[in-house]
Amino acid sequence: MGLTQGDITLRAKAALDNADKIIARTCECAGFASLNGYAVETLDCIYKSSRNFDTLNKKLAAAVIAAAKQTPVCYCVDGSVCGDEACKIILKKHSDCEVLDSVSKASAAYSSARLLTPEYASVSGYSVQNLKSCRAVCVYDIDCEYIASLVKARLSDIFGEEAPCAFIRGSASQKIKIYEIDRQKHYDATCAVAVEEADFLKKSRYDYSDLEYLIKLLRAPNGCPWDRVQTPESIKGNMIEEAYELTDAIERADTDGIEEETGDVLLQAAFHSVLQEEAGNFNSADAITRVVKKLIFRHSHIFGGDSANNDAEALTVWEKNKKTEKNQTTYSDSVLAVPKNFPACMRAQKVGKRSAKCGMDFLSPVSASEKLAEEIAELLQACIAEDKAAIFEEAGDVLFSAVNTCRLAGVDCEEALRAATDKFINRFVKFEQLALADGEKIEEMTPDRWDYYWAQAKK
């Protein structure tokens, strides 16, 4: 039974009048005054013997269930029954209990704050970390500074720390900023916070749904002419460009750049989701649901019956589940699944890695190097013969063999080639600086002079 002072229903009063035993969760609430004139047993002693909120609720529920085995019990809590964690435990175990509800703490806070948003979320301060993005929310049970700090952190993440909110204590309400939630002088069981989002263009925090909403606004008939005409084909290159820019920011350890480029990558994903939704194919919820289910399935060493004691074993489980998920029954299926539009070096390494899983591979980097030497010799012969078709083919074989050698040596070919290119650029710049400092004209230098300055730059 839920009780709020002055709001007890006729059915609740009838239940109290005819109850064999009345138990109140606590006498330290305004709603307890509604029980004046009744013989009531309180469970305040359990509060003192509980280490945390979770333990408290389990003990409260256990006490009520134990009492109900002896005689019918009318268990009274302040606010709504559905908002009380101990009541949830009781109802889960005993679905035959009758619920006599009252005005919820969140509803009372909503009314006190005079919110204008018709739909709102409600959550206890003890569960605020589970709160998802919403248009408005009422958070109750802010009974100490620690819980207030958790509420402030979560609401700041959703609405922004400068956003205005209503702080309610009892029947009093005052306007404060979200960052002030944990700076109040006093907290008790009646404290709550109510907040609603600002108009779209005035918000200080946005989420993924806002990003999609903005794209839809831009593609509307009165939106942006450029955004309206885009197609999956016209913007597909943007995703590659943004991904490379994010990678570049990561390599530079540029935190601000990583933040910006991560947002740009998300923009491209959201844009494609909107385009597919317009075509009636799928929406972002479908895509996100799919990736979450995929992660759960592939992590069967966490969510299923497989086991993995280290990262290598975890990767083995992942690859096994991936083959099952994609119905890859042969090694060829796995090799053919490597995207053709990967960078050539990356694709070669991925193909070599997957084909090697059947056991057909070089014994070591040394044996792979010997094959590389053979391919270089064949390329040399093709160059001597000036056979362009053979040069093309043998050059590809040399590069593929070099990739195999690097793969078996544990080297990432993309990273190695990028590092080698950077090294060459740095040496070339230094080479030119040294030559120009001596008054040389690079384009007129002899090979001997090139070698001299290159050696100097190399030092």
Side-chain angles (χ1 to χ4, degrees), residues 3 78 97 134 155 171 175 195 292 307-308 387 389 401 430 450:
L3 293 174
D78 52 319
C97 293
C134 52
L155 296 187
S171 59
K175 292 290 185 182
V195 59
V292 170
S307 62
D387 184 341
S401 294
K430 191 62 178 177
W450 287 341

Side-chain angles (χ1 to χ4, degrees), residues 124-175:
S124 166
Y126 287 85
S127 304
V128 73
Q129 290 167 308
N130 299 324
L131 179 65
K132 297 182 179 181
S133 296
C134 52
R135 293 190 60 194
V137 64
C138 293
V139 186
Y140 52 90
D141 288 338
I142 308 177
D143 55 9
C144 65
E145 187 175 346
Y146 172 69
I147 297 300
S149 68
L150 296 180
V151 173
K152 180 190 76 171
R154 188 69 190 107
L155 296 187
S156 294
D157 194 43
I158 296 175
F159 298 98
E161 62 180 16
E162 291 284 345
C165 66
F167 186 87
I168 298 100
R169 183 186 295 108
S171 59
S173 174
Q174 62 172 322
K175 292 290 185 182

Side-chain angles (χ1 to χ4, degrees), residues 153-366:
R154 188 69 190 107
L155 296 187
S156 294
D157 194 43
I158 296 175
F159 298 98
E161 62 180 16
E162 291 284 345
C165 66
F167 186 87
I168 298 100
R169 183 186 295 108
S171 59
S173 174
Q174 62 172 322
K175 292 290 185 182
I176 63 172
K177 296 292 182 69
I178 284 179
Y179 72 83
E180 297 178 294
I181 291 175
D182 63 348
R183 301 183 184 183
Q184 305 305 301
K185 294 181 179 180
H186 174 67
Y187 300 94
D188 57 41
T190 69
C191 290
V193 165
V195 59
E196 59 188 339
E197 66 179 6
D199 293 336
F200 185 76
L201 296 180
K202 294 181 180 179
K203 294 174 66 172
S204 59
R205 298 283 291 179
Y206 296 94
D207 60 17
Y208 190 82
S209 62
D210 289 319
L211 179 59
E212 283 198 318
Y213 175 71
L214 178 58
I215 294 171
K216 292 175 181 179
L217 285 180
L218 295 175
R219 286 182 58 79
N222 59 341
C224 172
W226 184 90
D227 288 282
R228 284 204 307 269
V229 300
Q230 298 313 304
T231 66
E233 283 293 321
S234 70
I235 64 170
K236 67 180 182 181
N238 295 356
M239 177 61 84
I240 297 174
E241 182 179 326
E242 298 299 352
Y244 274 119
E245 290 182 1
L246 173 57
T247 303
D248 181 65
I250 293 171
E251 291 177 347
R252 290 184 283 105
D254 179 0
T255 304
D256 185 67
I258 293 172
E259 178 185 357
E260 179 181 359
E261 301 303 338
T262 298
D264 290 343
V265 169
L266 288 173
L267 167 61
Q268 296 306 314
F271 211 132
H272 280 285
S273 293
V274 170
L275 291 174
Q276 295 300 325
E277 183 178 355
E278 290 174 353
N281 297 327
F282 65 84
N283 58 27
S284 62
D286 296 320
I288 292 171
T289 298
R290 184 169 182 169
V291 73
V292 170
K293 287 184 176 180
K294 178 167 67 176
L295 287 171
I296 293 172
F297 178 77
R298 293 190 186 177
H299 284 86
S300 56
H301 53 293
I302 303 297
F303 306 109
D306 290 319
S307 62
N309 298 315
N310 52 54
D311 58 340
E313 292 181 1
L315 185 58
T316 298
V317 172
W318 173 279
E319 293 292 347
K320 179 202 71 171
N321 291 335
K322 184 177 180 180
K323 289 184 68 174
T324 301
E325 171 193 304
K326 294 184 175 295
N327 296 316
Q328 295 175 354
T329 58
T330 67
Y331 292 103
S332 295
D333 290 337
S334 176
V335 171
L336 289 170
V338 178
K340 291 184 177 181
N341 60 354
F342 266 10
C345 192
M346 180 188 297
R347 184 175 180 230
Q349 182 157 335
K350 181 76 75 173
V351 166
K353 182 179 179 181
R354 290 192 178 182
S355 63
K357 289 185 180 297
C358 73
M360 189 194 74
D361 201 4
F362 294 99
L363 296 176
S364 69
V366 175

Side-chain angles (χ1 to χ4, degrees), residues 19-23 63-76:
D20 293 338
K21 186 179 185 68
I22 301 174
I23 299 177
V64 175
I65 292 173
K69 290 180 179 180
Q70 306 300 321
T71 185
V73 170
C74 185
Y75 179 50
C76 303

Side-chain angles (χ1 to χ4, degrees), residues 18-95:
N18 296 292
D20 293 338
K21 186 179 185 68
I22 301 174
I23 299 177
R25 184 181 63 182
T26 177
C27 64
E28 300 295 331
C29 66
F32 188 75
S34 299
L35 300 178
N36 286 339
Y38 295 100
V40 182
E41 175 187 329
T42 71
L43 301 179
D44 289 293
C45 59
I46 295 179
Y47 281 77
K48 299 176 182 178
S49 63
S50 300
R51 293 175 298 176
N52 53 53
F53 194 64
D54 185 55
T55 301
L56 169 65
N57 287 315
K58 290 178 180 178
K59 286 185 176 182
L60 290 172
V64 175
I65 292 173
K69 290 180 179 180
Q70 306 300 321
T71 185
V73 170
C74 185
Y75 179 50
C76 303
V77 299
D78 52 319
S80 173
V81 172
C82 66
D84 185 87
E85 296 300 322
C87 286
K88 292 178 184 178
I89 296 173
I90 296 171
L91 291 173
K92 188 174 182 179
K93 294 183 177 181
H94 299 276
S95 57

